[in-house]
Amino acid sequence: MATPDMLVNALTTMLVTLDPPGLAPVFLGLTVGMTAVQRRQVAFRGSLIAFGILAVFALFGSSVLGLLGISIGAFRIAGGLLLFWISFEMVFERRQERKEKTSQAAITIDHIHNIAVFPLALPLIAGPGAISATVLLSGTLPGALDRALLIGVIALIMLLVYATLLIAERLDRFLGVTGRAILTRLLGVILAALSVQFVVDGVRSAFNL
């Protein structure tokens, strides 16, 4: 049975990994020229698709690893290292630059109605880091009720992402360049600590320590 501490850890990990405030300026770049109604449609569809992707990995991620012969311990180590890399990018402001480049490329290549799928839902919201974090958390919550609680946590975070995208323009003006930089770096440090904990837990599990 999932403890309150485990649920808080899951909530914090998903919140920091998805980084809703960091998505706001990228979303604005993706939806340049759209009306408020069109932006809401893109935000809703993108959030819903991203939720579906993460929910599938929450339910079946561990089973897929088992079929591939990958232990949870090994995946915790690999996932923790990946999350640490993402946190490194957040602290040194490289992740935002990469997201903005992705959004710019998508505007010229994909039709505007597909933006909700690519790159908003995948890989900007449900990217490698979020997927890895979801599988890692599902490994620590093996029971059916625990998985249901994890999906509830993902749904809560996705509602927050959707709300953030709806107020993206106001949030971007409120935070400004300095506010976004401070918040992104703070979340990056928290994610770094969480990722190291995943690696430590993975080493213990892999070597039965």
Side-chain angles (χ1 to χ4, degrees):
M1 180 67 182
T3 64
D5 286 344
M6 293 170 70
L7 292 177
V8 169
N9 180 61
L11 185 67
T12 305
T13 301
M14 294 305 300
L15 178 63
V16 172
T17 305
L18 288 170
D19 184 21
L23 289 170
V26 181
F27 177 73
L28 292 177
L30 282 172
T31 56
V32 168
M34 289 188 184
T35 65
V37 174
Q38 289 171 328
R39 277 183 172 168
R40 280 199 298 271
Q41 290 174 346
V42 171
F44 178 76
R45 188 179 179 200
S47 301
L48 188 63
I49 293 171
F51 168 74
I53 293 170
L54 295 180
V56 168
F57 277 95
L59 290 173
F60 305 111
S62 299
S63 301
V64 172
L65 290 180
L67 290 174
L68 295 175
I70 301 172
S71 69
I72 290 296
F75 194 84
R76 282 178 184 167
I77 295 172
L81 293 174
L82 176 60
L83 293 178
F84 186 83
W85 174 58
I86 291 173
S87 71
F88 181 86
E89 287 191 323
M90 291 173 70
V91 171
F92 292 97
E93 205 63 30
R94 295 180 181 176
R95 194 184 187 201
Q96 193 66 25
E97 294 175 5
R98 179 162 50 81
K99 282 183 175 182
E100 288 171 357
K101 288 178 182 177
T102 302
S103 68
Q104 290 167 2
I107 292 172
T108 59
I109 296 172
D110 293 334
H111 192 274
I112 195 168
H113 293 111
N114 294 326
I115 286 175
V117 180
F118 176 85
L120 184 58
L122 188 72
L124 292 179
I125 300 178
I131 291 172
S132 298
T134 300
V135 176
L136 286 170
L137 292 169
S138 70
T140 63
L141 301 168
L145 179 58
D146 296 337
R147 296 284 175 86
L149 290 173
L150 176 58
I151 291 175
V153 168
I154 295 171
L156 180 62
I157 295 297
M158 214 53 63
L159 283 174
L160 181 59
V161 168
Y162 175 60
T164 302
L165 296 182
L166 291 182
I167 61 169
E169 193 170 353
R170 280 175 286 176
L171 181 64
D172 192 52
R173 285 200 305 265
F174 174 75
L175 289 176
V177 176
T178 303
R180 286 201 309 272
I182 293 172
L183 185 60
T184 298
R185 284 171 170 79
L186 179 61
L187 293 176
V189 171
I190 294 173
L191 182 59
L194 288 169
S195 64
V196 170
Q197 187 61 53
F198 277 130
V199 172
V200 171
D201 292 342
V203 170
R204 286 176 178 169
S205 176
F207 295 97
N208 295 318
L209 298 177

